[in-house]
Amino acid sequence: MFSSIFSTSPPVDPNAQNLHPVSDAFKENELFGELTPQDTEWTCAAGFATETQIFYVAADDGTTFMVQVIHSAVGLWYPTIQFVFKFHDPKTKETVFKSIKVNNFVTPPPGLDKRSSKADEFSITYKHTPGSDHPESYTVLANLAEDLQVSLDIQRPAVVPGWKVGNGPKGGFSYFGPDPEKAEGYAIHRFWPHCKALGHVVRSGRVATYQGASMMVQAIQGMRPNLLAASWNFGNFQSEEHGGVSAIQMEFKTCNSHGRKGAGSGGVWVNVGSLVVGGKLASVTAETKWPGEPASETVVSRTTHLNPVLDEDTGYNMPRQILWEWQAPSILADAPGSLKAKLHVDLGDLDSPKGLIEKVDVLAEIPTVVKMASLVGPRTKVATFHSTPRQQGAPLIPFFAAILKASTSLELARTAARIVLTFMPVIVLTNAKSKRKLKWAALRGAPKSEETVARVLKGIRHRKYFLYLLLLVPSAIFWGTIVASLEQTPLTGRWRMIILSPEEEEEIAKQLAGPGWYRAVSEILEHDGPPKIIPNTDWRYAWVNSTMRKLEGTIPILTNEPASYKCWFDECQDHPPMPPPASFPLRPRPRASEYIRCWCDNMSEGKWGVPHPKTPHSIAGPPYSLIIVDKPDSSNAFSYGFGPDGGGGIVVYSGFLDEVLARTPMNENLPEKEKKTWFSTLFGGYFSSPPPRHPTPTPEQTSELAILLAHELSHLILSHHLESLSSTTVIVPGTISILTDVVRVILFPLTMLFGPFVNDAVAQLGKVGSGELVNVGELCTSVRQEMEADVVSARLLAHAGFDARDAVKFWEVRTENLAKCSNEKEPAPSSQEHLVRKIMSSTHPVNELRIKALRDEIARWETERQRVVSASGSTGTTAG
């Protein structure tokens, strides 16, 4: 930042050329540059860069498909890697489009170089066999879904080398910015123009084999996509006739910001292409069309849209015909001269298009960029159109909302606030001094001139407005963070804040998945000494596990209760009460940042309906993990974790099981005495094993166990552990830290007078007070979560076939037992608990609040049932 302010470099001419296309860097006879091994390596560039590798296949039966890997880096954020598969069968009109975000992307994979890559969902392996007819090849394996797998081999013939425009390290590069040596951005494309393809596509259990012609392109956009190009054209013609023919073009049009005379002179078309004739690479073309300048006559690489018509869906002028033209010196030793080729394609019109498959939004993260793809003709002749509508500001809002949705955002707000608070005393004291001088001059009878007074007052105003502007920055970051982190809790609809980015949540889930949960829980349990774990062969484990799996089975019902349990209100009097459908069903957690993004999308597209989040977070659902600890003096259980694949689970202490089993008599699971015969008396022990001799829990005991398990499952379903992590480690400490800085600045004049000892005492007092506030914040969050888990657990119990009213009795008994264990009287609540009661507007103990909330929820079920019965005229009987 300071280098840009105090730079001594000469100023840049605003009218200087700030686009340096690759066609201008090489002569006509130097356009062909053979690819080196480094050219097709993954660079995984940081900053704002998008790197992609695409394989296009034109099968002999007319089927066309493509596979693509996209590596996108956005500033300091972790890059995202997308795998895209597009398939079209012109005979059946079947179209398949699949785009997934892959996990654990690696390049190079172990034992390979950076021309290969892999992830959990795919692998692309480069092979080099020098001296053969096909010296280079790629093998693509992808498992995109249960019903979609792809296997593909792409082989490059030796007589068709891979190419870029121009040789050397700068070959293929178009540079953006006044100085190519210090470019602001760049674009590069590298091609295998004509290859042999053989592969299999498995769709819904059906295996189809395809072979034909193909091509590969590897490209990098080394700057923001919306700054690099306003639109694109891509043409790809492949045929095996005449020994093999290929004609390809890649063309982009610059934005208005880059051109011959700097900003405002854009709209420059940059085009590269090639021709393969008779199975050999014949020529490479490159042309730049500068606005207002005559086109080249010697080298032509050009796409022309003919008879365009406005498409209202995209706001783009769709061409009815396209003319592709190639002309360049031949690179074939046995065919010197200039090669020319033209390809004219009729696309039809909007009402009756020819070959149009569909219009695809390929960049959902940049909602105003729309890609319209058309596959035409019996071979692969691809015309790709990109358009950028006028609204450019709105997409930045969800971008910044996503940036603020991270654990570092409050620290950013605090840093900005500390910078502002550093300047604030200087500005305030300077303004006060200026006002005092004016007042002093007026009192002495020697007022300043009107010009001097106006100048001083103007300076005071400017400093005041500057202070307001400074204060606005941390305030905007702070409140932006709050808004971006808001989300509604499933099933209850409570608004809460989780200041963790999707990447941070995924990292947590990844660490806890599989054996990670057991390792994390073991570390927690070891604080009280080495835990003794009850094995899964113990009958108690089987009892707890079966009860928990029964409760887990009701979770899918919570995603769509109206369809899963339509007649919830039509139960008889003896049937346990059933809950009405939740107003907020168990769906992926939509966040405020997603609502903002959808609102911006609709605004950009001229649609003002209710926005629906496009990228909700996944539900971290079953199966959950389970551990039973043999600890008779602990009558409790707890849940822990987040994420799929067992990333969340429940720990139950044997003391709770003993308490439940001791409360009511059990059914002894003892076999009936059988009459013994002389054979069984002599040989029975050799041919049979004694039946298990363990007690069988009663339904009442299983119900009590289910109540506790449902409560802990509710914590997992509602992602309470993420909320607690965010609250205790980010939100509360970060907010208190900001408030402490503000208070210290306000008290600074006072503490300055009494020296550093008083200042240190105030700082220490602030630390102690902030610690107390953190504890109170944790307790408030915990109480709300406990009440919420009680309410949701009642819904789980009802759908699992248990009586939710038993949960009220269960928690009442637990509360009474806790009171009896405290020297026959309930201990006096702490000052923190008193404060929590005041915050929650109640004078009752926390346990009573929980029981009341649970009782009110079940009463609401009955009230809602009666209302529905009355409204529908049902004959259902009121539950007693």
Side-chain angles (χ1 to χ4, degrees), residues 358 391 595 637:
E358 61 184 350
Q391 294 87 352
Y595 279 110

Side-chain angles (χ1 to χ4, degrees), residues 21-264:
V22 65
S23 61
D24 289 3
F26 299 94
K27 298 178 181 179
E28 295 177 3
N29 59 350
E30 298 176 346
L31 295 178
F32 167 64
E34 187 169 1
L35 295 183
T36 65
Q38 291 75 25
D39 286 328
T40 50
E41 289 183 347
W42 284 93
T43 65
C44 301
F48 286 86
T50 301
E51 188 171 1
T52 182
Q53 185 180 50
I54 316 174
F55 300 92
Y56 294 93
V57 177
D60 293 338
D61 63 355
T63 300
T64 58
F65 59 91
M66 57 163 276
V67 294
Q68 178 181 21
V69 180
I70 307 172
H71 182 285
S72 302
V74 183
L76 300 176
W77 292 93
Y78 293 115
T80 59
I81 294 86
Q82 204 82 5
F83 191 96
V84 180
F85 174 75
K86 182 67 177 289
F87 173 94
H88 177 68
D89 187 339
K91 297 177 181 178
T92 63
K93 306 299 181 183
E94 181 184 9
T95 298
V96 178
F97 180 78
K98 187 71 174 180
S99 178
I100 63 172
K101 180 181 178 182
V102 303
N103 302 292
N104 300 320
F105 176 81
V106 175
T107 183
L112 301 172
D113 61 24
K114 296 192 73 173
R115 288 173 287 185
S116 301
S117 61
K118 71 178 294 291
D120 292 347
E121 295 80 3
F122 80 91
S123 67
I124 298 179
T125 304
Y126 171 83
K127 299 177 183 177
H128 187 209
T129 53
S132 65
D133 292 339
H134 296 85
E136 291 184 294
S137 65
Y138 281 98
T139 298
V140 182
L141 301 174
N143 185 7
L144 306 179
E146 292 184 359
D147 58 347
L148 182 59
Q149 294 84 39
V150 179
S151 173
L152 180 64
D153 283 322
I154 303 293
Q155 299 178 342
R156 181 186 65 78
V159 293
V160 186
W163 66 268
K164 61 186 177 183
V165 175
N167 277 308
K170 295 185 178 181
F173 281 90
S174 292
Y175 294 104
F176 293 75
D179 186 358
E181 299 299 327
K182 300 178 181 178
E184 300 169 357
Y186 61 88
I188 183 171
H189 295 85
R190 300 159 175 137
F191 300 88
W192 283 7
H194 186 68
C195 306
K196 178 183 177 182
L198 175 64
H200 310 276
V201 178
V202 182
R203 291 170 292 134
S204 303
R206 295 179 289 111
V207 181
T209 302
Y210 301 98
Q211 64 178 2
S214 67
M215 64 89 69
M216 184 273 286
V217 57
Q218 195 151 346
I220 306 176
Q221 297 179 19
M223 60 191 300
R224 292 181 177 89
N226 62 311
L227 298 180
L228 188 145
S231 58
W232 293 79
N233 290 308
F234 172 57
N236 175 28
F237 176 88
Q238 301 288 336
S239 173
E240 293 293 353
E241 298 179 5
H242 307 293
V245 177
S246 166
I248 60 176
Q249 279 188 19
M250 180 71 73
E251 180 181 78
F252 66 87
K253 180 182 180 181
T254 67
C255 300
N256 197 41
S257 56
H258 293 88
R260 179 80 80 182
K261 297 181 179 180

Side-chain angles (χ1 to χ4, degrees), residues 452-504:
T452 303
V453 172
R455 186 176 66 253
V456 173
L457 292 177
K458 182 179 180 181
I460 292 173
R461 285 196 304 271
H462 285 180
R463 286 189 291 269
K464 181 175 66 173
Y465 294 150
F466 179 65
L467 177 60
Y468 291 162
L469 181 62
L470 288 178
L471 291 172
L472 180 63
V473 173
S475 299
I477 297 176
F478 178 80
W479 289 110
T481 300
I482 299 301
V483 172
S485 303
L486 285 173
E487 64 175 60
Q488 282 188 291
T489 309
L491 301 174
T492 64
R494 173 178 63 89
W495 282 99
R496 63 182 177 182
M497 288 186 297
I498 297 183
I499 306 184
L500 293 171
S501 67
E503 290 78 12
E504 289 169 330

Side-chain angles (χ1 to χ4, degrees), residues 307-544:
N307 302 321
V309 59
L310 179 65
D311 181 6
E312 295 182 356
D313 291 341
T314 62
Y316 186 78
N317 288 322
M318 172 184 171
R320 297 176 182 176
Q321 293 90 31
I322 290 185
L323 176 63
W324 280 289
E325 299 175 87
W326 294 262
Q327 178 180 326
S330 171
I331 62 174
L332 296 174
D334 56 350
S338 180
L339 293 180
K340 296 182 181 180
K342 290 186 178 181
L343 180 63
H344 185 277
V345 178
D346 183 9
L347 300 178
D349 53 31
L350 293 174
D351 296 329
S352 56
K354 297 180 180 179
L356 175 67
I357 296 175
E358 61 184 350
K359 304 170 187 177
V360 181
D361 179 7
V362 296
L363 292 178
E365 289 76 17
I366 308 178
T368 58
V369 178
V370 178
K371 179 179 181 181
M372 180 178 173
S374 304
L375 301 183
V376 295
R379 300 292 179 185
T380 309
K381 309 166 191 171
V382 182
T384 307
F385 308 90
H386 293 245
S387 64
T388 305
R390 293 185 180 89
Q391 294 87 352
Q392 294 294 326
L396 294 178
I397 299 176
F399 173 75
F400 286 117
I403 289 179
L404 292 173
K405 185 69 185 69
S407 60
T408 57
S409 54
L410 275 183
E411 184 60 30
L412 177 63
R414 184 196 178 199
T415 302
R418 301 191 84 173
I419 295 173
V420 173
L421 293 174
T422 301
F423 288 102
M424 188 173 73
V426 177
I427 297 174
V428 171
L429 291 176
T430 302
N431 280 354
K433 183 178 179 181
S434 298
K435 292 178 181 179
R436 190 166 58 251
K437 283 184 177 181
L438 291 177
K439 185 177 180 181
W440 181 75
L443 291 175
R444 291 190 60 186
K448 303 288 185 180
S449 65
E450 292 184 0
E451 293 182 357
T452 303
V453 172
R455 186 176 66 253
V456 173
L457 292 177
K458 182 179 180 181
I460 292 173
R461 285 196 304 271
H462 285 180
R463 286 189 291 269
K464 181 175 66 173
Y465 294 150
F466 179 65
L467 177 60
Y468 291 162
L469 181 62
L470 288 178
L471 291 172
L472 180 63
V473 173
S475 299
I477 297 176
F478 178 80
W479 289 110
T481 300
I482 299 301
V483 172
S485 303
L486 285 173
E487 64 175 60
Q488 282 188 291
T489 309
L491 301 174
T492 64
R494 173 178 63 89
W495 282 99
R496 63 182 177 182
M497 288 186 297
I498 297 183
I499 306 184
L500 293 171
S501 67
E503 290 78 12
E504 289 169 330
E505 291 189 12
E506 290 174 5
E507 182 62 26
I508 294 172
K510 180 181 176 181
Q511 293 177 2
L512 292 174
W517 183 85
Y518 292 94
R519 287 195 297 267
V521 170
S522 296
E523 293 177 1
I524 296 173
L525 297 175
E526 285 174 356
H527 288 301
D528 296 330
K532 183 179 179 182
I533 307 300
I534 293 179
N536 55 12
T537 55
D538 191 286
W539 70 270
R540 291 171 293 179
Y541 184 94
W543 177 40
V544 177

